[in-house]
Amino acid sequence: MSETTVTEPKAPPAQPPPAFAAPARRGWVKPVATALFLLLLFALPIITGNSGVGYLKVAQYVLIGAVGGIGLTLLVGQAGQLSLAHPFFVLVGAVTYAVLAGDPDESTDLVALGLPPVVAMIGAVALCGLVGFAFAPVSGRLRGIYLGVASLSLVFLGLWLGQSLELFTGGTSSGRSAPVFELFGFRFANTTPAPTIAGVAIQQQQRLWYLFLVLALIAYLLARGATRSRIGRAWRAVRDNEAAATAMGVDVRRIKAGAFVVSSAYAGLAGVMLALWLDLVKPDENEFTGNYSLTVSIAFLAIVIIGGLGSVPGAVVGAAVVFGLQQLFLLGANQFGWFADAEFGGFSAVVVSTLIYGAAVVLVVLFEPGGAAAIGRRLTARFTRTPAPSPTPGRNDDDPEA
């Protein structure tokens, strides 16, 4: 009796999960959104018009904070070094620009070398980098809160130097004027007649906006390139584990010193921009209030935290929150009478803006350690229907989608 063999039917091969059509969609969404955003930025002076110069100055101040914030997020978020010395390097950059580009005939009682403004700007950035390099023996040996306290001493040093070296700074009573920036014979100042675009006269503030925008874009692109390069990987290796980084052949002290140099140079560029924005270089009268004070140290640190540690685009968002709100409230107080009833110690423009970004820092620390960068990644993933990347909480190492 023969046996009948029953052959079991083979299971059909596993089908790959259905793929969303998001990659193609995502391929054009981001470039188009970026192009529209850049177009909006370049058209901002036309949108605000001649009557909205105050709003344009608010946007300029945001760009200053963005440049400084990008430099600090590279140091704190990427290289893992806490620094509170940013206002010191901002002061050094502003004063150096004024000294190098100052007219000797106009500043007879001050040190002025009369160099071209472009050379003065580059020299100010380079000098700040050298001063940051001089701090390398300290930054290379310390980390965490110890480095933060050590760097904080530079703010007090800057206060003393600003008040003592009046031949360079002009002193706390009057300061010194910031030389007008000039590029290929084109002056970033009011001229008669002035070129017009769509009926809007392109005068000093409009010209400074375009100058600041170009400088901020250059700083942004350089930072993005650094985070994705070999130097960025070395920063993160030192941040995560110095012993492991050393075992992999990374020179920890050199990498730390390099990160501090880069951050200092960014702060110096922000200082040059601040001098042009204020049209004045004037050292602070005390260490708690002013453009180069401890308050500014905290503001820059808040920019980094709100934007997300290590995120370059997040630093721009943080600057809009911290620097933008303060100037917007000050503009409202001056032009529209906001906080007119505020008495001494009441809710003034500065107090309200400080409370808002202080609350933002607390909310970020409690609920979203990754900051605005992590929120942006989730929103982008939801919009394009792709899985959101999940970096280490609170870090934006490669800044992949922010």
Side-chain angles (χ1 to χ4, degrees):
M1 183 175 181
S2 61
E3 296 181 357
T4 303
T5 304
V6 179
T7 304
E8 295 289 339
K10 294 183 178 180
Q15 298 293 327
F20 293 108
R25 180 184 181 186
R26 190 178 186 182
W28 63 264
V29 168
K30 189 174 181 179
V32 169
T34 303
L36 291 177
F37 181 65
L38 290 176
L39 181 63
L40 174 64
L41 292 180
F42 277 97
L44 188 60
I46 314 303
I47 297 173
T48 56
N50 293 324
S51 60
V53 174
Y55 297 102
L56 195 60
K57 285 186 70 68
V58 173
Q60 292 171 0
Y61 198 63
V62 170
L63 293 181
I64 296 172
V67 171
I70 289 172
L72 190 60
T73 202
L74 293 179
L75 181 66
V76 178
Q78 293 285 327
Q81 298 187 82
L82 176 61
S83 173
L84 298 174
H86 240 46
F88 169 76
F89 294 104
V90 172
L91 174 63
V92 172
V95 173
T96 303
Y97 172 77
V99 170
L100 294 180
D103 189 348
D105 297 330
E106 295 180 0
S107 307
T108 56
D109 56 338
L110 298 171
V111 177
L113 302 182
L115 298 178
V118 176
V119 176
M121 174 182 288
I122 297 174
V125 173
L127 181 63
C128 287
L130 290 175
V131 175
F133 181 75
F135 194 71
V138 177
S139 63
R141 288 173 170 82
L142 300 177
R143 65 178 304 169
I145 189 63
Y146 302 103
L147 178 59
V149 173
S151 64
L152 190 61
S153 64
L154 293 178
V155 178
F156 294 94
L157 177 62
L159 176 69
W160 179 78
L161 291 176
Q163 295 177 351
S164 302
L165 303 179
E166 295 187 1
L167 285 176
F168 297 93
T169 65
T172 58
S173 58
S174 60
R176 63 183 299 170
S177 60
V180 175
F181 192 80
E182 186 175 340
L183 184 63
F184 303 119
F186 183 80
R187 291 171 58 84
F188 289 77
N190 293 330
T191 58
T192 304
T196 59
I197 300 178
V200 177
I202 306 301
Q203 291 285 22
Q204 180 178 6
Q205 298 307 323
Q206 288 80 8
R207 300 177 188 187
L208 285 179
W209 164 255
Y210 288 119
L211 174 64
F212 289 2
L213 183 59
V214 170
L215 293 176
L217 286 175
I218 293 174
Y220 178 90
L221 293 176
L222 289 177
R224 290 278 281 183
T227 58
R228 296 172 174 178
S229 68
R230 181 177 180 181
I231 185 65
R233 293 190 293 271
W235 283 343
R236 293 187 289 274
V238 171
R239 177 201 64 193
D240 294 338
N241 192 314
E242 292 186 9
T246 303
M248 291 187 295
V250 177
D251 189 337
V252 173
R253 291 188 178 180
R254 184 175 64 85
I255 291 300
K256 281 187 173 183
F260 212 91
V261 168
V262 171
S263 178
S264 303
Y266 269 80
L269 179 58
V272 176
M273 296 167 66
L274 181 63
L276 295 173
W277 186 77
L278 291 171
D279 200 19
L280 178 70
V281 177
K282 185 176 180 294
D284 296 336
E285 297 181 2
N286 62 73
E287 65 272 25
F288 298 109
T289 58
N291 297 305
Y292 319 103
S293 63
L294 297 175
T295 304
V296 180
S297 296
I298 299 172
F300 273 118
L301 196 58
I303 287 176
V304 173
I305 296 174
I306 293 173
L309 289 177
S311 172
V312 177
V316 180
V317 176
V321 174
V322 177
F323 277 37
L325 281 180
Q326 178 182 343
Q327 288 302 315
L328 184 63
F329 287 152
L330 287 174
L331 177 65
N334 294 330
Q335 291 193 0
F336 308 114
W338 297 356
F339 317 106
D341 298 330
E343 300 178 353
F344 180 78
F347 288 99
S348 63
V350 175
V351 171
V352 172
S353 63
T354 304
L355 289 175
I356 291 177
Y357 77 70
V361 168
V362 174
L363 292 175
V364 165
V365 171
L366 291 178
F367 301 106
E368 185 48 85
I375 297 174
R377 282 193 293 270
R378 283 205 299 271
L379 292 177
T380 302
R382 178 174 298 183
F383 180 72
T384 56
R385 296 182 181 179
T386 55
S390 55
T392 304
R395 294 178 180 174
N396 301 279
D397 290 346
D398 297 317
D399 213 13
E401 306 297 337

